[in-house]
Amino acid sequence: MTTIDLGLPGLAGVPTTDEPQKAKDYKSDQEVRWCPGCGDYVVLNAVQSFLPSLGLRRENIVFISGIGCSSRFPYYMNTYGMHSIHGRAPAIATGLATARPDLSVWVVTGDGDALSIGGNHLIHTLRRNVNLKILLFNNRIYGLTKGQYSPTSEPGKVTKSTPMGSLDYPFNPVSLALGAEATFVGRALDSDRAGLTEVLRQAAEHRGSALVEIYQNCPIFNDGAFDVLKEAGEAERRLIPLEHGKPIRFGAEGEYGVIRSGFGSLAVAKVSEVGADALVVHDSHTEDPSYAFALSRLSTQDLSHTVTGVFRSVSRPTYDDQARAQVDDAKATRPADLDTLLRGKDTWTVIA
Amino acid sequence: MSTGVDGGTAATGTPRAAAVTKLDRVVIRFAGDSGDGMQLTGDRFTSEAAAFGNDLSTMPNFPAEIRAPQGTIPGVSSFQVHFADYDILTPGDRPDVLVAMNPAALKANIADLPAGGTLIVNTDEFVKRNLTKVGYAVNPLEDDSLAAYQVHQVAMATITQGALADTGLGKKDAERCKNMFALGLLSWMYHRPTEGTERFLREKFAKKPDIAEANVLAFRAGFYYGETTEAFAVTYEVAPAKLAPGTYRQITGNTALAYGIVAAAQQSKLPVLLGTYPITPASDILHELSKYKQFGITTFQAEDEIAGICAALGASYGGALGVTSTSGPGVALKSETIGLGVMTELPLLVIDVQRGGPSTGLPTKTEQADLLQAMFGRNGESPVPIVAPQSPADCFAAAIEATHIALKYRTPVLLLSDGAVANGSEPWLIPDAADLPDLTVEFATEPNSPDGSTFWPYLRDPETLARAWAVPGTPGLQHRIGGLEKADGTGNISYEPDNHDRMVRLRQAKIDNIPVPDLAVDDPTGKARVLVLGWGSSYGPIGAACRRVRKLGHSVAQAHLRNLNPFPANLGDVLRSYDKVVVPEMNLGQLALLLRGKYLVDVVSYTKVAGLPFKAEELQNVLTDIVKGVDAG
């Protein structure tokens, strides 16, 4: 085993191995207990297949989760892991990531866990830019408590707790993360293995907080919530995949694109009407989060337009790196003698 | 002036020089508006007493509002310091000297000053507007309402402004130095050393040398005022105390607690992560520890109480010493994470500096009403060890002891301090770092399953019942933990009924079996039939009360609980060996409830929940009545 610099800033300091790894090395001996057909299986497989490509030592990877269906994830990973309490995984991971620069720390959470009970920890983790990767499984429903509406459910949704329809206006998780000035924000579909893997790869390489929203189907309580994004004929005109440095263009024939419109906002247009030169060229490194925010607002959450890929990836010092630097600096410049500390400045002596 | 109420010898009253009276102890209370700098003034006088070698004990008392309306009763802030030539136990029931900087301070405090006491007032503030504000129809300095006291009227603001006239400082800035004038005057009256205060002022205002010099000038002006005017005929001397040999310093409870954590970090060779959220009266622990990064201490000011403790637990999971500090309302928010710490069996130090409750309660006042919250305030059977320091200096050793238990038994530990201990101060016999206990722990490095092939996170040490602590990064020991019930040994999720029953009992047994020192009983005559049993910060007033009861010729035994969970093994026997056990508490009888429930001993619960420490006199009366009753019966 060796420690080599892979040139991936997000993983700097995490020991690597030159032993080849396979997906099965990341499967724990625990039986996976999600419902048949749950989107979580697909994400689990994608993560287990993707992690070997990072070449990290498995013992230096930690998955921390909160409460909910998706939060069972760590039990199925043959890494270190903690299944914690509802909404608090980002806070626990913050302590772990700050204490241990040699770990690759991942948070697995859901729309209820991250955006309801844990909303506060999520936004504060993102603004601090702690070096951890947050996988937010969004199925727009509460699964583990059996079918109540969630903070991402569509208005009017009829559920067990809202027989006359939900009154809540939903969060757009990507907009929320960008509002907190997250340095990395991406989105993928559970069914799009290649797209998901690419976003995960970029998230892992990013140094700082990375939020990845994963649209995930709940076959029991919200089945088909994202079907329009998966059906041939529908998906092409709704999904807007992002690629850094490329014009934002979509549709079965590439007939649609994204153009600038009004005060800093963006709009969808027919390329035949505006011309290819008018299309916005995606720059995920744009410092001003307004650009990525505008991308996240191309439609309401009715899925008429769903942007996928990496919205934003910018560089900002991380909380944990800076906290460790302060400790290192203090150790290098200030004496750490306990007796001196305890004595302080003013003492007196009583003689026997 | 002194009556030796703390149990020491009475004043000798023999003047060494014409104008010097010797005293064995004095209690001074500085009282003024919140913005008058009374806490600083009291703190400086305390430092002078410490530097002089007196024993001392202090009690700050301030409003929760940072600046309540000026000149009003709610805005009064005070600082009481008790210093003596012998070992004292409390900040004193009543002041011998009251310094009142304005009418509100006089009105709020005069009832505590015994007849014959010395009253020093700043007359400049006794104007109609200020008098009306607090309901004085007539200026009390001009009628005979203060005839019972030795009153000294000093125009402190006017004299201070005069002394600073040549400094070029504005009138308002000059007036603000009047607290240092008062300090100077009291320093002269009690023959206090002055170098320390002048040095302190120059350091405190190092960036504003003109302000520093103005304060030093005001301080000296007060000193010279006493020396040159004939208003004060007598000065007083309180000789250094004959304490146990060694080197001492003055220390507050919160500082001692922070030092205890620094020491625990050093003795365990672990980095510390303090995850916390500011809350009165615990914030000073954060402030203090944030200065000691060179000792490997990271302080994380989280977005809320929950995130604070979660970050601490996450750090513990990673092999650091996780610490969180808060007060009662914060403990309520942290309860679920303490439960996760109990379930995941990770070390975690939870500091609760108790304050008046419930809810926001009395943020700046003291109380002992979180004992049952610490003991039971979580869902399920969720036992945690509890350690309570008995005085400000004792916080150092208590922090080390609590950390030792947390690390050795892999458990959250609750450290129950309170506002009186946290903000009060006393001399501390400084320990030698070389004499501190070794707190090192061993992380798991090898598979431990019976067949030697894998790591079982919930395999226990047969003696301590602590599970192995394998930190991420250790090859071959990858495992998952969490809040769901674990199978005994393997740690896999288990919903099996018998396993849950066994795990609940194992977690309880682990805490119940932690060895704690036997309870020591202080009974000088060996004939006492009444035992007083306290816990936490009431040690001082209970001890002082026992001294008084014994001086009256009665026998009374005293014992004090430091370990509230588990209790000392001999506690039941001790309780049963007295005719009566009196348990004074600043709550409605929480320890009494635990004692009755566990030992079936019908203890006498004496309670008071006034936001202030017990007075020695009050406990003396309670104990004397009970002792007399038992002896008569």
Side-chain angles (χ1 to χ4, degrees), chain A residues 1 28-30 33 57-64 67 72 74-86 88 91-96 98-100 102-103 117 120-122 124-125 127-128 319 323-324 326-328 330-331 334-352, chain B residues 50-51 53-54 199 203 241 243-250 259 262-263 266-267 273 291-304 306-307 310-311 314-315 317-318 320 336-337 340 344 346 396 427-428 430-433 436 470-484 492-493 495:
Chain A
M1 294 192 199
S28 77
D29 60 355
Q30 298 297 295
R33 293 187 194 165
R57 289 166 58 156
R58 265 188 306 136
E59 63 268 23
N60 289 82
I61 300 174
V62 186
F63 279 83
I64 310 263
I67 293 292
R72 299 297 177 97
Y75 288 117
Y76 309 135
M77 296 295 299
N78 192 5
T79 61
Y80 281 87
M82 188 196 287
H83 175 216
S84 73
I85 45 179
H86 208 8
R88 318 301 169 199
I92 292 171
T94 293
L96 180 63
T98 303
R100 294 288 302 273
D102 60 327
L103 302 178
I117 195 166
N120 198 31
H121 306 309
L122 180 74
H124 287 278
T125 301
R127 80 172 163 89
R128 285 190 191 102
Y319 174 85
R324 288 187 294 265
Q326 284 192 345
V327 169
D328 291 345
K331 280 180 175 173
R334 298 180 203 175
D337 181 66
L338 186 58
D339 281 314
T340 307
L341 173 73
L342 301 186
R343 292 177 66 88
K345 285 182 184 164
D346 295 314
T347 61
W348 71 97
T349 299
V350 175
I351 294 160
Chain B
N54 294 129
R199 191 173 64 236
E203 278 175 21
L243 302 176
T247 301
Y248 287 80
R249 63 171 286 174
Q250 174 211 355
Y259 286 2
V262 175
Q266 176 139 326
Q267 297 305 101
L273 189 136
K291 293 188 280 191
Y292 304 129
K293 294 181 170 62
Q294 65 271 30
F295 289 95
I297 291 172
T298 303
T299 52
F300 171 60
Q301 182 179 314
E303 58 271 24
D304 60 25
I306 301 171
C310 281
Y317 177 59
E336 191 184 13
T337 310
L340 180 65
T344 53
L346 288 168
F396 179 80
W428 178 39
I430 304 166
D432 203 332
L436 297 175
V471 302
T474 315
L477 306 193
Q478 290 94 321
H479 65 280
R480 278 64 55 190
I481 58 174
L484 286 169
N492 290 326
I493 299 172
Y495 302 117

Side-chain angles (χ1 to χ4, degrees), chain B residues 446-610:
Chain B
E446 302 289 334
N448 62 352
S449 63
D451 66 2
S453 65
T454 56
F455 178 67
W456 285 13
Y458 280 75
L459 213 55
R460 294 171 191 279
D461 178 296
E463 193 193 330
T464 62
L465 296 181
R467 74 177 188 88
W469 188 8
V471 302
T474 315
L477 306 193
Q478 290 94 321
H479 65 280
R480 278 64 55 190
I481 58 174
L484 286 169
E485 184 59 284
K486 309 287 176 300
D488 189 11
T490 66
N492 290 326
I493 299 172
S494 171
Y495 302 117
E496 207 261 309
D498 289 344
N499 177 75
H500 178 55
D501 185 74
R502 187 162 60 252
M503 290 298 276
V504 166
R505 290 172 198 281
L506 276 169
R507 284 187 289 265
Q508 185 69 46
K510 180 177 83 168
I511 304 306
D512 288 347
N513 293 342
I514 295 170
V516 301
D518 267 351
L519 184 67
V521 179
D522 174 40
D523 177 12
T525 63
K527 293 176 185 163
R529 296 168 64 191
V530 173
L531 170 75
V532 199
L533 179 68
W535 69 277
S537 75
S538 55
Y539 174 77
I542 293 174
C546 286
R547 285 183 182 179
R548 292 167 175 222
V549 173
R550 289 168 189 160
K551 276 189 86 175
L552 294 173
H554 304 292
S555 285
V556 63
Q558 186 197 358
H560 210 72
L561 280 172
R562 174 193 194 74
N563 298 96
L564 292 140
N565 196 31
F567 284 132
N570 68 334
L571 178 57
D573 291 340
V574 170
L575 293 175
R576 289 183 203 103
S577 58
Y578 289 89
D579 292 351
K580 264 206 170 32
V581 178
V582 186
V583 181
E585 293 180 84
M586 294 185 285
N587 58 46
L588 293 184
Q590 300 193 3
L591 174 63
L593 179 76
L594 294 176
L595 296 174
R596 287 172 182 157
K598 189 170 169 74
Y599 300 105
L600 299 177
V601 171
D602 187 19
V603 302
V604 178
S605 177
Y606 179 75
T607 62
K608 184 137 188 184
V609 203

